[in-house]
């Protein structure tokens, strides 16, 4: 499939609380605040340079997506929920995915409406059965409105201290080789790099999703549990890691001191909060 990362979906229990904390983390105001009447959910979107972040909350009990989000959250405030893959022709992508052994629902029309402006965005999307991709929720999406229908999230301060883009998303796997086979053979992604980190007891591989990386990580110090793969974290690219960490820390969110990253030329800072595992990353390719 010809696919790129369209957006990252984070399920949240309290949408307004999550919105406020992500404004602080990203250093940007939302692009969109809206609802999906047909799905029973509400959302807040932050469009970054290469993708966008969706905070998704249940709104109407009994809604077809609301109940799935609620079940995924269980008792948590937030949980990484899904990756949406942008495709130029969703009907064709569904056929190709099925031919590669994935179970995919039929493409269906979707619509979102912005609460403040009344603007409407439309798309066609299809859900992939998580059991056929080792447990990760994937959505194939073809937007049917112009890309600028979702405006870029405006910076709330110095752009050098804000989040510019998503560098990579992290998926933990019990079986790196099996997960690699799914992502390369069934989804069609290329392997950008592979590296073992004995000092961290991990085996890692990066898959290229249209310029954004899906990083698969297997722990080597634990016996396989047989559990599904877990969408776990997001690394945001920043222009100045020290400035970004200082800004977030000053706003009351704990951040580790900036340190050298795993790859040459990178500097990173880990955010310590109750939400999705988050890394601020400067430098690199």
């Amino acid at each position: 499939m010809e696919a790129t990362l369209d957006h990252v979906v984070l399920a949240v229990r309290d949408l307004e609380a999550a919105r406020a904390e992500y404004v602080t983390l990203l250093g940007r105001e939302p692009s969109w605040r809206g609802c999906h009447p047909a799905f029973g959910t509400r959302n807040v979107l932050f469009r970054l340079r290469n993708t966008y972040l969706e905070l998704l909350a249940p709104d109407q009990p009994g809604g077809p997506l609301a109940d799935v989000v609620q079940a995924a959250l269980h008792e948590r405030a937030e949980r990484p929920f899904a990756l949406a893959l942008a495709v130029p022709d969703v009907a064709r992508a569904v056929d190709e995915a099925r031919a590669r052994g994935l179970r995919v629902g039929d493409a269906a029309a979707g619509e979102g409406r912005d609460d403040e402006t009344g603007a409407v965005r439309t798309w066609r999307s299809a859900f992939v059965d998580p059991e056929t991709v080792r447990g990760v929720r994937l959505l194939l999406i073809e937007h049917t409105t112009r890309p600028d229908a979702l405006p870029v999230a405006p910076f709330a301060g110095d752009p050098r201290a804000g989040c510019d883009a998503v560098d990579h998303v992290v998926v933990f796997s019990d079986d790196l080789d099996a997960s690699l086979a799914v992502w390369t053979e069934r989804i069609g992604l290329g392997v950008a790099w592979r590296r073992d980190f004995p000092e961290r007891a991990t085996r890692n591989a990066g898959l290229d999703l249209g310029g954004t990386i899906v990083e698969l990580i297997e722990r080597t110090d634990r016996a396989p549990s047989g559990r599904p793969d877990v969408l776990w974290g997001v690394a945001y690219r920043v222009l100045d890691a020290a400035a970004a960490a200082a800004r977030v820390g000053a706003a009351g969110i704990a951040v580790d001191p900036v340190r050298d990253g795993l790859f040459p030329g990178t500097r990173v800072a880990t955010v310590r909060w109750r939400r999705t595992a988050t890394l601020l990353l400067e430098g690199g390719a």
Side-chain angles (χ1 to χ4, degrees), residues 126-243:
F127 287 92
V128 180
D129 184 341
E131 290 187 2
T132 63
V133 284
R134 292 184 53 80
V136 177
R137 289 187 184 87
L138 295 180
L139 172 71
L140 306 179
I141 186 167
E142 174 192 354
H143 290 279
T144 49
T145 45
R146 291 164 49 97
D148 59 7
L150 180 64
V152 173
F155 284 104
D158 181 2
R160 291 192 60 82
C163 293
D164 174 59
V166 170
D167 183 82
H168 64 276
V169 295
V170 175
V171 174
F172 271 96
S173 174
D174 263 1
D175 187 334
L176 181 64
D177 293 334
S179 296
L180 276 171
V182 167
W183 286 90
T184 58
E185 296 171 14
R186 292 189 172 186
I187 301 173
L189 302 191
V191 179
W193 52 265
R194 290 190 68 164
R195 186 171 173 185
D196 292 349
F197 295 96
E199 71 281 7
R200 299 169 62 90
T202 66
R203 298 173 63 218
N204 300 39
L207 301 163
D208 184 8
L209 186 50
T212 307
I213 294 294
V214 176
E215 182 176 9
L216 303 177
I217 302 178
E218 177 190 72
R219 295 293 300 265
T220 59
D221 59 347
R222 300 176 182 173
S225 66
R227 72 176 184 176
D229 289 0
V230 177
L231 179 59
W232 183 75
V234 182
Y236 298 94
R237 185 168 288 277
V238 298
L239 297 179
D240 187 328

Side-chain angles (χ1 to χ4, degrees), residues 9-275:
V9 186
L10 306 179
V12 300
R13 184 172 303 282
D14 184 329
L15 187 60
E16 181 56 30
R19 180 207 62 79
E21 291 193 36
Y22 273 93
V23 166
T24 298
L25 173 76
L26 301 173
R28 307 177 83 136
E29 296 294 334
S31 302
W32 184 278
R33 304 181 194 187
C35 60
H36 307 117
F39 294 153
T41 52
R42 301 189 64 79
N43 66 357
V44 170
L45 309 180
F46 295 86
R47 182 180 168 194
L48 306 180
R49 175 168 52 83
N50 61 340
T51 185
Y52 66 93
L53 182 71
E54 177 175 14
L55 307 180
L56 182 68
D59 184 44
Q60 302 170 18
L65 185 56
D67 288 350
V68 177
V69 173
Q70 186 66 51
L73 283 167
H74 193 45
E75 297 180 354
R76 302 182 185 186
E78 176 177 316
R79 186 172 185 176
F81 184 72
L83 299 177
L85 311 186
V87 294
D89 183 332
V90 70
R92 178 178 176 182
V94 167
D95 289 343
E96 291 177 353
R98 288 171 175 169
R100 293 181 181 221
L102 299 180
R103 289 196 297 271
V104 188
D106 292 335
E111 177 181 293
R113 185 179 301 274
D114 185 82
D115 291 339
E116 295 184 0
T117 67
V120 173
R121 296 166 49 248
T122 60
W123 58 84
R124 289 181 58 77
S125 60
F127 287 92
V128 180
D129 184 341
E131 290 187 2
T132 63
V133 284
R134 292 184 53 80
V136 177
R137 289 187 184 87
L138 295 180
L139 172 71
L140 306 179
I141 186 167
E142 174 192 354
H143 290 279
T144 49
T145 45
R146 291 164 49 97
D148 59 7
L150 180 64
V152 173
F155 284 104
D158 181 2
R160 291 192 60 82
C163 293
D164 174 59
V166 170
D167 183 82
H168 64 276
V169 295
V170 175
V171 174
F172 271 96
S173 174
D174 263 1
D175 187 334
L176 181 64
D177 293 334
S179 296
L180 276 171
V182 167
W183 286 90
T184 58
E185 296 171 14
R186 292 189 172 186
I187 301 173
L189 302 191
V191 179
W193 52 265
R194 290 190 68 164
R195 186 171 173 185
D196 292 349
F197 295 96
E199 71 281 7
R200 299 169 62 90
T202 66
R203 298 173 63 218
N204 300 39
L207 301 163
D208 184 8
L209 186 50
T212 307
I213 294 294
V214 176
E215 182 176 9
L216 303 177
I217 302 178
E218 177 190 72
R219 295 293 300 265
T220 59
D221 59 347
R222 300 176 182 173
S225 66
R227 72 176 184 176
D229 289 0
V230 177
L231 179 59
W232 183 75
V234 182
Y236 298 94
R237 185 168 288 277
V238 298
L239 297 179
D240 187 328
R247 176 187 59 77
V248 173
I253 297 176
V255 185
D256 286 353
V258 176
R259 64 188 187 277
D260 290 338
L262 294 177
F263 292 90
T266 60
R267 301 271 289 163
V268 300
T270 300
V271 179
R272 303 292 180 182
W273 63 346
R274 62 175 181 158
R275 300 193 176 276

